[in-house]
Amino acid sequence: MTITMHSTPGSSGYLDLYPERKMSFFKNPFILGLAAVAGIGGLLFGYDTGVISGALLYIKDDFEQVRNSSFLQETIVSMAIAGAIVGAAVGGWTNDFFGRKKATLFADVIFALGAILMAAAPDPYVLILGRLLVGLGVGVASVTAPVYIAEASPSEIRGSLVSTNVLMITAGQFLSYLVNLAFTEVPGTWRWMLGVSGVPAVVQFVCMLFLPESPRWLFIKNRKNEAVDVLSKIYDLARLEDEVDFLTAQSEQDRQKRNNVKFWHVFRSKEIRLAFLVGGGLLFFQQFTGINTVMYYSPTIVQMAGFHANQLALLLSLIVAGMNAAGTVLGIYLIDHAGRKKLALCSLAGVIVSVVLLALAFFKQSTSSSEVYGWIAVVGLALYIGFFSPGMGPVPWTVNSEIYPEEYRGVCGGMSATVCWVSNLIVSETFLSIADGIGIASTFLILGGIAVVAFLFVILYVPETKGLTFDEVEVIWKERAWGKNPNPNTQRLLEEGSHS
């Protein structure tokens, strides 16, 4: 059975023929609920990155050896990122072998165990072990959630639904700052801050028991009846039949191709290599344009700008985190309307302008006692978040969830998430040292330079995937690797996709 690209369910050609079958973001409560529950993994990711900065202040009060050792402090912070690197690396394989649902349940169990260990830690070393476990859970979840949501989503709203996972990351960071403020006066402050993170993991575990496996994964595993049952909750009857026919034909091809894909196979295939360059590259630039530096160190940046009171710095950081979450909501709307590529380019252009403004403010402030430059730095910080969060926040994760063929989706998703976490670790471990060595103004100029390279990277390498089905995206890589496809239907559709 052959199905032309023009009639692929969810493609632009198909939806032109049957406009009544088009899905909108709020049309189906089931798919929204699935995205929200899967996105709790993102909430854990965001909460964990945000909470440690506040908790560390109180951990130093309780443990003298932490107070006297910068190395122990850095280890407590970075052990979660180290765990996430390992979690992301094994997460791709876990996803492909056990399925998206079991991988999520596994991540929740590890995360909850880590939260209990942290809350009950009698010494810094048990705390560090707890941080490692929490990181492992976050790493597996960072691979699983975008893929699980993307595979269950209709192609026309896939970008918005995957972006809800990024919204949950930013909501987690916002929540962590709120929790930091709320628990400042409570006995056992840091134990509550770190222990409470186990609650969302337990909630997600319970909710996931009632949610199905990814329909595409079920098709690959030849469990067609279960897959049809899941798809029937997403599509109306007319489109359901087309989706099932198409996925049945597609899964036959995928099963023939899928001979236990290993990570080195990625580099042997020209089209998969190109796809991974884009996916891994976007997540690399997401980290190296400084977002997590800004989130981790926003209280420090605010203090560097001349606002020295701890609570004022925390409050301003809370506003920064709130803006990050609000910007992501805007991104959820724009990603399926403006498209991935345009959104990333506008975002990076704004980031370049705002880091130059930050650099100028800090440079001038070092030679002047005027408070004006402190406020300009805070405005630059707000502009940075305002531009970054709708674009370079959700776009890399969304693109990564949709650019790999089915048989490579787990392994490439894991590799890209590993790139993200390694980049995160490098940036967070070096930012303050570089700022001490060459000054914060010069450090921001370096971030601006990286953002310029990222802008050129997006122009040259990133295709527009808005509204394309997984199979149409696959054809883009084949064409880039091996030249134009002679099939006129496919060619016409790709041209429509690239100009949209």
Side-chain angles (χ1 to χ4, degrees), residues 10 23 53 70 95 150 183 194 201 226 242 266 490 500:
M23 301 280 287
S53 54
S70 291
N95 262 277
F183 283 117
L194 299 176
E226 291 172 70
D242 292 340
V266 172
T490 309
S500 60

Side-chain angles (χ1 to χ4, degrees), residues 283-440:
L283 283 167
F284 170 86
F285 283 119
Q286 183 193 58
Q287 297 303 314
F288 273 88
T289 46
I291 182 58
N292 277 321
T293 308
V294 171
M295 296 310 294
Y296 285 144
Y297 297 113
S298 56
T300 316
I301 292 169
V302 168
Q303 284 181 331
M304 282 176 174
F307 302 94
H308 293 298
N310 265 358
Q311 273 198 309
L312 178 65
L314 263 178
L315 194 63
L316 283 168
S317 303
L318 188 66
I319 294 166
V320 166
M323 281 190 66
N324 196 17
T328 310
V329 173
L330 178 64
I332 286 174
Y333 171 78
L334 290 174
I335 201 158
D336 281 326
H337 289 80
R340 284 68 157 147
K341 187 166 185 168
K342 207 178 289 179
L343 192 54
L345 290 171
C346 293
S347 177
L348 284 164
V351 163
I352 293 163
V353 171
S354 40
V355 291
V356 168
L357 187 65
L358 273 164
L360 281 173
F362 280 111
F363 180 70
K364 288 284 190 187
Q365 199 220 12
S366 63
T367 57
S368 160
S369 57
S370 170
E371 273 187 17
V372 172
Y373 297 114
W375 281 105
I376 290 174
V378 172
V379 168
L381 190 61
L383 272 177
Y384 175 93
I385 295 289
F387 278 110
F388 187 98
S389 55
M392 282 303 285
V395 168
W397 291 108
T398 301
V399 169
N400 264 286
S401 72
E402 61 193 6
I403 57 172
Y404 306 118
E406 176 68 44
E407 69 272 24
Y408 283 94
R409 201 165 294 139
V411 72
C412 286
M415 287 164 65
S416 294
T418 307
V419 168
C420 172
W421 287 109
V422 171
S423 305
N424 182 327
L425 183 64
I426 294 167
V427 173
S428 59
E429 288 292 296
T430 57
F431 179 79
L432 283 183
S433 310
I434 292 171
D436 285 344
I438 63 170
I440 189 145

Side-chain angles (χ1 to χ4, degrees), residues 193-248:
M193 288 175 177
L194 299 176
V196 82
S197 64
V199 175
V202 173
V203 170
Q204 186 181 40
F205 184 91
V206 173
C207 293
M208 280 303 295
L209 293 174
F210 298 96
L211 281 174
E213 183 49 83
S214 153
R216 280 180 172 263
W217 187 83
L218 289 169
F219 263 109
I220 278 286
K221 295 295 178 185
N222 218 4
R223 290 157 62 178
K224 184 178 171 181
N225 290 344
E226 291 172 70
V228 172
D229 191 42
V230 180
L231 291 169
S232 67
K233 295 185 173 82
I234 301 168
Y235 301 108
D236 60 26
L237 196 60
R239 183 159 166 187
L240 174 67
E241 288 177 10
D242 292 340
E243 292 279 352
V244 170
D245 287 347
F246 176 70
L247 283 173
T248 304

Side-chain angles (χ1 to χ4, degrees), residues 23 35 38 54 61 88 92 129 132 151 185 221 227 240 276 284 303 334 344 382 403 408 422 447 473 476 491:
M23 301 280 287
D61 291 343
L129 177 63
L132 179 69
E151 289 186 340
E185 305 299 323
K221 295 295 178 185
L240 174 67
F276 177 65
F284 170 86
Q303 284 181 331
L334 290 174
I403 57 172
Y408 283 94
V422 171
L447 292 180
V473 177
I476 291 177
Q491 185 56 45

